[in-house]
Amino acid sequence: MNASRLQWASSSPALSTGLETSSSCSKLGFVNFRGGGGCGDSLKTKKGLFVIKAMDVEGSRTVNLNGHAGDSDKNGSLLSSIGNSTNIQWHQCSVKKEDRENMLKQKGCVIWITGLSGSGKSTVACALSGILYRRGKLAYVLDGDNVRHGLNRDLGFKAEDRAENIRRIGEVAKLFADAGVICIASLISPYRRDRDACRALLPAGEFIEVFMDIPLHVCEARDPKGLYKLARAGKIKGFTGIDDPYESPLNCEIALRHTGGECASPCEMAEEVISYLEEKGFLQA
């Protein structure tokens, strides 16, 4: 296959503009990345987040950089492989995200509320949802505990389970945002790499990280579920803030802080998020 006759398609918009074929490449699979930016490293470290496919112009074969190859089906549609899923195809619909946003008179996004247990994540999420509802905006809360009642009930609290818990919620949140909904995800999500992976799922600006910057001693004094007491007694292992780390965001969009020994009310905190949404144009189509 002549490299100059390849067409490139990517499920990652950031990569689709950074690819070019070279007439000097005689074998399928040689790709030049323009402008640096670490794309080559991303292919190694973020396997599964995207697929790049090299297609013959006649559409007879698909090869992606995850190392799998697939053929066109009988109708000529290109099939691909992502992770352990093979021979799959992305189906496009005539109704686009912009159409749904225009109907709802808002812009879809993900508001990711992170912080220690007892920091007020769920309370602020519900307050925010209520304010948006009263303003005629469609929002939905993905609460960490609630999701573990169903979708993630097979997961525990080991590091790998926590990572999978966040990955699944990130994927669901992305679908809500694509539907034009303001999705409010509320969960501890203690590790930066997992939160960053969820951010990478969405277009720039649509992932809004809200850090509940409440000191550990305040959260422990609240202890609404009695979990800190159990963790201190050694009855719960790997509890965030006690014997498992919480990695604070480095560049969050919003930080809700406990200052001067006092904490704003949940509604006041939610109004800070509302102000951000207004400023960035999410509350209008």
Side-chain angles (χ1 to χ4, degrees):
M1 185 183 294
N2 191 322
S4 64
R5 297 176 64 245
L6 296 179
Q7 295 176 338
W8 293 96
S10 169
S11 60
S12 171
L15 288 173
S16 60
T17 58
L19 294 171
E20 64 180 6
T21 58
S22 171
S23 58
S24 63
C25 298
S26 59
K27 294 183 179 180
L28 180 64
F30 285 83
V31 185
N32 292 329
F33 292 89
R34 293 197 302 269
C39 291
D41 291 337
S42 296
L43 292 176
K44 297 176 183 177
T45 61
K46 295 184 179 179
K47 180 178 178 182
L49 291 180
F50 57 84
V51 173
I52 303 173
K53 297 175 287 187
M55 299 170 285
D56 185 89
V57 172
E58 288 76 25
S60 62
R61 189 165 179 78
T62 301
V63 177
N64 66 59
L65 295 187
N66 280 348
H68 303 287
D71 293 306
S72 299
D73 63 16
K74 62 182 180 181
N75 297 317
S77 299
L78 289 162
L79 304 176
S80 60
S81 300
I82 300 177
N84 293 326
S85 297
T86 59
N87 298 320
I88 59 175
Q89 177 186 1
W90 185 269
H91 292 271
Q92 295 287 356
C93 296
S94 59
V95 179
K96 305 298 183 184
K97 179 182 179 182
E98 293 76 12
D99 301 319
R100 295 185 284 271
E101 291 177 331
N102 287 333
M103 181 183 69
L104 294 170
K105 296 181 173 56
Q106 63 184 50
K107 290 184 173 65
C109 64
V110 173
I111 301 169
W112 194 277
I113 305 179
T114 176
L116 292 169
S117 177
S119 61
K121 300 180 300 298
S122 297
T123 306
V124 170
C126 289
L128 177 58
S129 175
I131 294 172
L132 289 168
Y133 172 78
R134 289 188 290 275
R135 294 182 60 160
K137 303 303 176 184
L138 183 59
Y140 192 84
V141 176
L142 291 175
D143 182 82
D145 279 6
N146 290 357
V147 176
R148 283 182 177 273
H149 278 76
L151 177 65
N152 292 346
R153 64 184 177 184
D154 59 320
L155 300 175
F157 290 90
K158 296 182 295 185
E160 56 269 30
D161 282 358
R162 284 186 154 186
E164 176 61 13
N165 177 59
I166 293 167
R167 187 195 69 81
R168 292 183 192 178
I169 293 177
E171 290 285 356
V172 173
K174 179 183 73 171
L175 295 177
F176 271 105
D178 187 60
V181 176
I182 297 171
C183 182
I184 307 166
S186 169
L187 59 163
I188 294 173
S189 45
Y191 309 129
R192 290 190 196 103
R193 65 177 182 272
D194 296 329
R195 299 193 302 266
D196 289 345
C198 291
R199 180 186 291 274
L201 293 172
L202 286 100
E206 291 188 13
F207 184 92
I208 303 163
E209 189 173 31
V210 179
F211 175 34
M212 300 296 296
D213 190 5
I214 311 299
L216 174 62
H217 72 272
V218 174
C219 297
E220 190 167 359
R222 294 173 177 173
D223 202 11
K225 303 176 188 176
L227 299 179
Y228 283 101
K229 184 177 180 180
L230 293 174
R232 291 293 187 188
K235 296 180 180 180
I236 297 179
K237 301 296 183 182
F239 190 77
T240 302
I242 303 301
D243 57 352
D244 201 66
Y246 176 82
E247 298 172 354
S248 300
L250 299 178
N251 296 292
C252 61
E253 281 72 18
I254 303 170
L256 302 176
R257 294 187 170 90
H258 179 275
T259 56
E262 295 184 0
C263 196
S265 71
C267 285
E268 289 172 330
M269 289 183 167
E271 286 290 355
E272 286 193 46
V273 181
I274 291 290
S275 296
Y276 181 92
L277 295 176
E278 289 177 328
E279 178 186 342
K280 299 299 181 180
F282 285 104
L283 301 186
Q284 58 190 27

